[in-house]
Amino acid sequence: MRRLLKWIGLIVAGLVGLVVVAVGAVYLIVGLELSESHAVAGTDIAVPDAAADIAEGERRAQILGCNGGCHGKPGSHGALFFETPDGSRLVAPDLHRLAVEYSVADLERVIRHGVKPDGTTVLAAMPSPMFYHLDDRH
């Protein structure tokens, strides 16, 4: 019986060790990706300013889950996307605030390529591949 408990203890310790190594590897990989700088040029696309075009843009943003979804409601300072037990928070910023702060090319780069104006990557929660193939009018 004592020998069986020893083996069970060794197996549990091995599994705990594997989990610790896996968590450490994920932490390292994510940290490296977030600190890496990408040289992606944004495209300065024409932004329509007609009321009908703006309404259509807002409608599409709601359908895709951007406006009122992942990024929260306008003026909400964004939406809490994820919170860890240690208090770290991942907040998707308010799109209306970013539209004022970022240039059109900066917004295009973040949306289509997942790269912020400073060249760093947005977190994996930003589904840039979903928006990459949208044409400039949509």
Side-chain angles (χ1 to χ4, degrees):
M1 181 66 159
R2 193 172 200 162
R3 194 172 184 187
L4 178 63
L5 290 176
K6 179 181 175 183
W7 278 105
I8 291 174
L10 288 172
I11 290 170
V12 169
L15 290 173
V16 168
L18 284 174
V19 168
V20 168
V21 168
V23 168
V26 168
Y27 183 79
L28 179 67
I29 290 167
V30 168
L32 289 173
E33 175 64 25
L34 290 177
S35 65
E36 187 176 335
S37 184
H38 303 278
V40 176
T43 302
D44 219 359
I45 59 177
V47 179
D49 57 0
D53 291 327
I54 293 170
E56 176 62 10
E58 288 179 354
R59 184 186 77 80
R60 287 176 185 253
Q62 275 191 306
I63 289 171
L64 294 171
C66 308
N67 191 11
C70 293
H71 291 273
K73 295 182 182 189
S76 66
H77 303 291
L80 179 62
F81 192 73
F82 184 76
E83 186 169 13
T84 62
D86 72 350
S88 299
R89 304 175 84 194
L90 175 60
V91 177
D94 177 18
L95 294 178
H96 287 76
R97 180 180 55 83
L98 290 182
V100 172
E101 293 177 7
Y102 284 15
S103 70
V104 172
D106 288 341
L107 285 170
E108 187 273 341
R109 179 178 36 244
V110 169
I111 292 167
R112 288 189 177 155
H113 304 283
V115 177
K116 295 188 256 183
D118 65 1
T120 58
T121 304
V122 295
L123 290 176
M126 177 63 187
S128 294
M130 184 171 97
F131 303 120
Y132 181 78
H133 298 291
L134 293 177
D135 63 49
D136 292 347
R137 284 211 19 96
H138 303 105

